[in-house]
Amino acid sequence: MSPAVNHDAFDAAVTAAAQRIAAYADKHQIPITPAQCEDLAGIVVRFAEGFVTGVSFAAHRDNPFAE
């Protein structure tokens, strides 16, 4: 059973990531809209969540004594 998703934490992570993406794009003169920053941030955060979940699953699967 997977843990419940904290939507407030997810939204905060996406907002922070979108701000960083926008700052990077502005610094490097990359044309991107705020909506595109939000979309890209959401993709990145979901990917990171999936990666961490997979690593955690693999670590617990390989260690039968892990809780």
Side-chain angles (χ1 to χ4, degrees):
M1 182 168 165
S2 60
V5 175
N6 183 335
H7 292 286
D8 291 337
F10 178 81
D11 290 344
V14 169
T15 298
Q19 291 170 348
R20 296 294 303 262
I21 291 167
Y24 181 89
D26 187 48
K27 179 180 177 181
H28 297 283
Q29 299 176 344
I30 299 169
I32 188 169
T33 67
Q36 290 171 321
C37 290
E38 288 278 334
D39 290 344
L40 182 57
I43 291 166
V44 170
V45 171
R46 284 185 188 92
F47 179 81
E49 282 181 326
F51 178 78
V52 170
T53 299
V55 168
S56 177
F57 173 77
H60 284 87
R61 190 189 71 191
D62 292 340
N63 182 358
F65 301 106
E67 292 184 31

